[in-house]
Amino acid sequence: MLRIQVDQVYSSHQNFHPHSIKIPGDITLGGLFPIHSRGPHGVNCGELKKEKGIHRMEAMLYALDQINSDPELLPNITLGARVLDTCSRDTYALEQSLTFVQALIQKDTSDIRCTNGEPPIIRKPERVVAVIGASASSVSIMVANILRLFEIPQVSYASTAPELSDNNRYDFFSRVVPPDSYQAQAMLDIVKALGWNYVSTLASEGNYGESGVEAFMQISREAGGVCIAQSVKIPREPTAGEFDKIIKRLMETSNARGVIIFANEDDIRRVLEAAQRANLTGHFLFVGSDSWGAKSSPITELEDVAEGAVTILPKRASIDGFDQYFTSRCLENNRRNIWFAEFWEDDFRCKLTRPGVKLDPEKKKCTGDERIGQDSSYEQEGKVQFVIDAVYAVAHALHNMHQDLCPGSHGVCSNMDPVEGRLLLDYIRAVNFNGSAGTSVLFNENGDAPGRYDIFQFQMTNHSHPGYHVIGQWTNNLRLNLEEMQWSGGDRSVPESICSFPCKPGERKKMVKGVPCCWHCELCDGYQYQLDEFTCETCPLDKRPAPNRTACRPTPIIKLEWNSLWALVPASIAMLGILTTIAVVITFIRFNDTPIVRASGRELSYVLLTGIFIIYLITFLMIAEPGVVVCALRRLLLGLGMAITYSSMLTKTNRIYRIFEQGKKSVTPPKFISPTSQLLITFILISVQVFGVFVWFAVIPPHTIIDYEELRPPNPDLARGILKCDMSDMSIICCLSYSIVLMVTCTVYAVKSRGVPETFNEAKPIGFTMYTTCIVWLAFVPIFFGTAQSTEKMFIQTATLTISMSLSASVSLGMLYMPKVYVIIFHPEQNVQKRKRSFKAVVQAAKSLTEKQNGDMKIEPDRSQ
């Protein structure tokens, strides 16, 4: 009995279309389904596709049954069908679809005659008013080019290529699924929500894969923020090792772990297998299009590689009525499906007996009592809902068209015989009804359905039911539950797929040319801070970068503190000098009328001691906190003390020199050697310094400044602003230059007066004083200017200047006055009046000195003999 049933199934459709299903009806719809996969090279068809082929095709038959039994929809009109197998190949589908246009091709049969001379009776093919399909976008595009020529509307249940939205080229094409441009936008939103900015794309060659990837790339370029590392295309006929090469190429940009994949399920499976062979399980993070969806076939036995894959699928619902319908199908009640016997064998892994075909002993024999879902696994294919919606869309369009063109008529009236394709297209585009899943079915001006997607993730770890889990939705905007996501090994932290890691605070991005998501991080060095993520800016002069270099902070202001070693040493020396100077002055005042004090020139001595006191005093002004008064006093007293000291010494040496020079020539004393004249000369010399300082006051009033440049080393943490008077290094030297001139001139006179008799030689202590002072100041210059690059320049220069001045004052005090004080205090017996020296005695001494010098000159030739 079973053999007879099978024979009937296989023989019932051998007459006109041996590879199609014919369902009779008043109005015929076409159907295109991938019943078989693409065959190997040279063969059109391959293995049976149970889910994408049989499930979807049966969904159309189920929908026709529902419509034909519905008294409210197309009453008294029966819908029929002609269903063809595309074998997942666009060229083969094009050949098959010619069946749909046969009735529209005018054939000239006037020359054809039967053997008896009668005209032949030619069977007229059924007229197909609309076509449901196809599945693959490449197939739909190929078929659409034919159907539009004959104005046959086409409604696809699975083709999502953006190219099909072109209403100028595919004006008779509509679809109940959203185009990949929506899908690409949803996938881009997923990538951004995961924090990825560097991904690769993988596409099967053909319209679906290439146009999907192109849509993703275009949307990502327009939106920005996501860069494409690699865009790899899988050949239509891949060679051996092709997928291993693809994985190797993807690893060239290993940071791009995210892979956007628009590929058919066969290619998806081969990619996963290649990744497994390369030991890259868990490395790639796949984001799959609706061709992957929630299918189990691409990932069977590859679950560990696919774990964490995020997939997208047009929002769907399982149709309970179809489950009941399909699980009740058997060989006996489903003879209209010519491929059902083949499905039966594949689903139950058994073999049916056929006439003339010997049964394979290794395979069990089908009994015919097997039941779908009981003796085999069954899960409703994801596009079943859309197949049903596509059939219903055409049915509602025909219903509305019938009401308008055939009001009150039962059955098809003359106005709908034949059905005008362009008018039917308008009715299809105008439908709006609740579909099989309860969602509205409608089309926009391009024939596209609105975008409604479910977001899935394939999860294995920590789940009682491993598999695809809904983690979000997309309806013009993304709602993604990141908390429900988990990745390879059950990790819940989102893995990274970025070209470059974020720069640390204080680092700017140096972009890689042509790749806006890739950059190198460069530290804002020196005194720069991070203005924005791409720019380093130099801090203002009075600021330095913060430790993290994201802002500037005020530079600390310093001054020479009293407790610093640089201040304590000069201050101690100066204080000792001041006390000593006061002691000398007190001694001289106490013994003002004694011979030693009177012989040393009391008036000039007091002036000179005043200058020494001021030199010591300037140390405290140089250490004191700068202010307007302090700065004014520094300007005034810095050079004044030395000017007073060396003006007094110069006047003394000049007086001695002039007296002895005059004594060599005559007995008449030189002019201006009285104490009053000496004081006048001294004050005239001092007034030059004072005048220069007051001119300086007038030109540039004294004020304080904060010098940020002096202490600005390469390390900004050591940068300091120095509170100081407006006196540069050169202005200090200029301020002392007049005193240096006096010092040098005094030294010259001291040298000239070195031969004065010892009894008259007050010039010799002055000479020794000037020689020593010159040595001190010669040492001062290299130390002062040699510290220009030191981080403690101000402290060293201040200490050097003040110590040098104190030393020069101490030399003058020690050599000129300490011997006198010693005699006055400890040897008062020597502080008695001696014979008064008159100018005549000076003349006598000068002549004796001259004669002695001449005598020495005469003796020299005698010694040379």
Side-chain angles (χ1 to χ4, degrees):
M1 181 65 184
L2 179 61
R3 178 172 179 175
I4 296 173
Q5 293 173 351
V6 176
D7 291 345
Q8 290 173 340
V9 170
Y10 272 86
S11 62
S12 59
H13 296 280
Q14 297 298 315
N15 49 2
F16 191 67
H17 294 293
H19 298 295
S20 67
I21 295 175
K22 174 69 172 75
I23 308 294
D26 300 322
I27 298 175
T28 302
L29 304 182
L32 292 173
F33 296 92
I35 305 299
H36 293 87
S37 63
R38 181 187 303 163
H41 186 68
V43 179
N44 288 327
C45 301
E47 297 178 350
L48 183 78
K49 301 179 82 168
K50 293 192 299 181
E51 295 175 344
K52 293 181 70 173
I54 297 299
H55 282 209
R56 293 179 182 181
M57 188 271 293
E58 286 288 352
M60 180 177 180
L61 301 184
Y62 166 77
L64 291 175
D65 292 344
Q66 295 295 308
I67 293 168
N68 288 334
S69 62
D70 188 346
E72 300 296 329
L73 186 61
L74 290 174
N76 302 315
I77 296 177
T78 303
L79 288 181
R82 171 70 70 180
V83 181
L84 303 175
D85 181 8
T86 64
C87 290
S88 306
R89 189 185 295 271
D90 50 5
T91 53
Y92 181 76
L94 180 63
E95 296 173 9
Q96 293 293 298
S97 63
L98 293 175
T99 303
F100 299 143
V101 301
Q102 284 181 357
L104 301 176
I105 299 175
Q106 299 293 330
K107 296 180 180 179
D108 185 7
T109 60
S110 59
D111 296 337
I112 302 175
R113 289 290 184 270
C114 295
T115 54
N116 59 2
E118 294 294 325
I121 300 174
I122 301 175
R123 181 181 177 183
K124 185 177 181 181
E126 75 271 13
R127 185 184 182 94
V128 174
V129 299
V131 173
I132 306 301
S135 178
S137 295
S138 57
V139 174
S140 288
I141 288 171
M142 190 74 78
V143 173
N145 287 319
I146 291 294
L147 297 182
R148 72 184 295 269
L149 296 177
F150 296 93
E151 297 187 345
I152 299 176
Q154 177 184 359
V155 182
S156 174
Y157 50 82
S159 298
T160 56
E163 184 180 349
L164 289 165
S165 297
D166 187 348
N167 202 38
N168 294 320
R169 293 179 59 191
Y170 307 103
D171 47 342
F172 279 81
F173 179 84
S174 304
R175 49 187 163 189
V176 291
V177 289
D180 284 339
S181 53
Y182 295 165
Q183 185 174 196
Q185 181 64 61
M187 295 171 80
L188 179 63
D189 291 346
I190 292 170
V191 167
K192 288 188 173 182
L194 295 174
W196 300 348
N197 68 3
Y198 197 51
V199 296
S200 295
T201 62
L202 193 56
S204 291
E205 185 177 1
N207 292 95
Y208 172 77
E210 293 179 54
S211 59
V213 164
E214 179 58 36
F216 179 86
M217 294 174 66
Q218 181 177 348
I219 293 172
S220 64
R221 279 194 300 267
E222 293 172 354
V226 175
C227 298
I228 308 302
Q230 300 269 5
S231 187
V232 184
K233 183 165 65 175
I234 302 171
R236 196 184 300 270
E237 304 289 345
T239 59
E242 185 71 39
F243 288 90
D244 294 323
K245 294 178 182 177
I246 289 171
I247 293 297
K248 186 176 180 181
R249 182 175 172 188
L250 291 176
M251 284 302 294
E252 291 176 1
T253 51
S254 57
N255 280 2
R257 296 179 63 189
V259 179
I260 310 302
I261 182 165
F262 281 83
N264 60 58
E265 55 189 276
D266 295 332
D267 288 343
I268 293 169
R269 183 172 183 82
R270 293 178 202 172
V271 168
L272 296 178
E273 289 172 344
Q276 189 179 57
R277 286 194 298 270
N279 293 322
L280 292 172
T281 298
H283 176 79
F284 292 113
L285 312 168
F286 295 101
V287 179
S289 64
D290 61 347
S291 61
W292 186 335
K295 297 186 182 73
S296 58
S297 56
I299 63 172
T300 303
E301 299 179 358
L302 296 167
E303 290 84 356
D304 54 342
V305 186
E307 185 176 11
V310 178
T311 60
I312 188 170
L313 199 61
K315 199 168 186 62
R316 62 175 185 172
S318 182
I319 310 302
D320 294 336
F322 177 79
D323 288 341
Q324 296 172 7
Y325 161 81
F326 191 75
T327 55
S328 66
R329 297 298 91 189
C330 63
L331 291 170
E332 188 174 343
N333 64 13
N334 200 21
R335 296 181 183 181
R336 63 183 178 180
N337 184 350
I338 65 171
W339 298 290
F340 195 70
E342 186 179 355
F343 166 80
W344 195 270
E345 292 178 329
D346 189 277
D347 197 43
F348 296 108
R349 301 180 185 275
C350 62
K351 199 68 176 177
L352 291 168
T353 57
R354 295 188 180 89
V357 179
K358 187 177 180 180
L359 185 65
D360 188 351
E362 295 183 0
K363 287 194 176 182
K364 67 177 182 177
K365 182 180 178 180
C366 300
T367 65
D369 295 328
E370 296 90 353
R371 287 294 174 263
I372 299 173
Q374 296 179 11
D375 301 311
S376 65
S377 61
Y378 166 75
E379 183 180 358
Q380 188 178 124
E381 200 276 331
K383 292 291 196 301
V384 164
Q385 167 200 338
F386 301 106
V387 175
I388 297 172
D389 288 344
V391 176
Y392 266 89
V394 177
H396 277 282
L398 288 169
H399 180 82
N400 296 335
M401 186 179 187
H402 183 267
Q403 287 184 328
D404 292 342
L405 300 183
C406 307
S409 173
H410 294 282
V412 178
C413 68
S414 59
N415 291 336
M416 289 183 64
D417 189 16
V419 175
E420 185 182 344
R422 186 166 292 278
L423 183 60
L424 178 58
L425 174 67
D426 293 338
Y427 277 98
I428 291 174
R429 295 285 175 87
V431 298
N432 189 343
F433 63 96
N434 286 332
S436 56
T439 55
S440 58
V441 176
L442 67 158
F443 304 95
N444 63 13
E445 65 278 5
N446 295 322
D448 294 329
R452 291 188 288 259
Y453 295 98
D454 282 324
I455 313 298
F456 296 86
Q457 187 181 39
F458 183 73
Q459 300 175 352
M460 288 179 57
T461 313
N462 302 328
H463 268 291
S464 57
H465 302 288
Y468 294 98
H469 294 264
V470 177
I471 57 169
Q473 297 176 340
W474 190 93
T475 50
N476 295 325
N477 57 74
L478 178 67
R479 294 189 298 277
L480 190 65
N481 299 320
L482 292 173
E483 299 81 9
E484 297 181 10
M485 300 183 74
Q486 66 178 37
W487 307 87
S488 180
D491 187 7
R492 291 197 173 271
S493 59
V494 179
E496 294 178 325
S497 181
I498 56 177
C499 180
S500 302
F501 290 99
C503 292
K504 297 176 183 177
E507 294 180 340
R508 76 176 186 93
K509 292 180 180 178
K510 184 179 181 181
M511 305 306 298
V512 175
K513 188 175 182 181
V515 189
C517 300
C518 298
W519 58 81
H520 302 298
C521 294
E522 287 189 349
L523 179 67
C524 297
D525 56 358
Y527 286 83
Q528 294 181 327
Y529 73 100
Q530 184 184 1
L531 179 64
D532 53 46
E533 60 178 334
F534 302 107
T535 311
C536 290
E537 191 76 24
T538 303
C539 288
L541 192 62
D542 61 340
K543 294 183 179 181
R544 58 178 179 167
N548 61 3
R549 294 185 175 272
T550 56
C552 293
R553 54 177 174 161
T555 301
I557 299 172
I558 62 170
K559 57 183 178 59
L560 187 57
E561 301 292 342
W562 288 102
N563 58 358
S564 168
L565 188 65
W566 299 106
L568 287 175
V569 173
S572 299
I573 296 173
M575 180 57 67
L576 183 61
I578 288 174
L579 293 176
T580 305
T581 303
I582 292 173
V584 171
V585 171
I586 292 173
T587 302
F588 267 50
I589 293 174
R590 172 69 179 79
F591 300 96
N592 187 54
D593 292 326
T594 62
I596 290 180
V597 175
R598 292 174 61 188
S600 64
R602 287 175 295 182
E603 296 79 3
L604 277 182
S605 291
Y606 289 129
V607 172
L608 196 151
L609 288 170
T610 302
I612 291 174
F613 179 84
I614 293 174
I615 291 175
Y616 285 126
L617 183 65
I618 195 64
T619 295
F620 298 95
L621 290 173
M622 295 300 291
I623 297 173
E625 181 175 345
V628 175
V629 175
V630 170
C631 292
L633 291 176
R634 281 188 190 180
R635 285 193 191 183
L636 178 64
L637 301 182
L638 182 62
L640 183 61
M642 293 182 66
I644 293 173
T645 301
Y646 296 119
S647 293
S648 301
M649 288 188 190
L650 177 59
T651 302
K652 278 192 172 189
T653 54
N654 176 264
R655 176 176 176 270
I656 295 171
Y657 174 75
R658 286 190 298 113
I659 286 174
F660 278 89
E661 285 297 311
Q662 183 69 18
K664 295 175 184 179
K665 300 175 183 177
S666 67
V667 294
T668 307
K671 298 179 180 179
F672 308 115
I673 59 173
S674 65
T676 304
S677 300
Q678 296 296 292
L679 287 174
L680 182 60
I681 293 171
T682 300
F683 285 123
I684 290 174
L685 293 175
I686 294 171
S687 65
V688 175
Q689 175 73 26
V690 176
F691 177 76
V693 171
F694 277 98
V695 170
W696 190 5
F697 283 161
V699 175
I700 305 176
H703 61 277
T704 59
I705 60 171
I706 300 176
D707 190 346
Y708 293 98
E709 293 183 346
E710 182 173 312
L711 201 52
R712 197 173 174 86
N715 184 359
D717 291 337
L718 302 177
R720 298 292 184 270
I722 301 174
L723 178 63
K724 59 196 296 188
C725 293
D726 61 324
M727 297 174 67
S728 64
D729 295 347
M730 288 309 299
S731 64
I732 291 175
I733 297 302
C734 291
C735 188
L736 297 174
S737 59
Y738 179 64
S739 299
I740 293 172
V741 170
L742 293 176
M743 185 192 311
V744 172
T745 307
C746 185
T747 303
V748 171
Y749 276 108
V751 171
K752 289 185 175 182
S753 303
R754 68 186 183 281
V756 175
E758 189 172 340
T759 53
F760 297 93
N761 196 1
E762 194 178 12
K764 283 188 177 181
I766 295 177
F768 288 127
T769 299
M770 298 317 301
Y771 305 151
T772 307
T773 302
C774 287
I775 293 172
V776 170
W777 285 99
L778 285 175
F780 159 78
V781 173
I783 296 174
F784 188 84
F785 289 100
T787 58
Q789 303 302 319
S790 173
T791 55
E792 297 182 323
K793 171 185 174 182
M794 182 196 73
F795 305 144
I796 296 174
Q797 288 187 338
T798 301
T800 302
L801 176 62
T802 53
I803 290 175
S804 297
M805 295 184 71
S806 294
L807 287 178
S808 62
S810 299
V811 168
S812 300
L813 185 64
M815 291 191 173
L816 294 180
Y817 294 103
M818 293 310 294
K820 294 179 174 60
V821 172
Y822 176 78
V823 171
I824 292 173
I825 300 299
F826 297 104
H827 296 282
E829 71 279 2
Q830 296 181 13
N831 189 11
V832 294
Q833 181 70 38
K834 296 182 180 181
R835 183 172 58 89
K836 188 175 181 180
R837 288 179 297 179
S838 63
F839 182 72
K840 185 176 181 181
V842 173
V843 171
Q844 186 68 29
K847 288 182 178 180
S848 299
L849 180 61
T850 302
E851 289 175 358
K852 184 178 179 181
Q853 289 174 347
N854 292 336
D856 292 339
M857 292 175 63
K858 291 176 183 178
I859 294 171
E860 279 184 359
D862 296 336
R863 287 198 302 264
S864 64
Q865 292 177 355

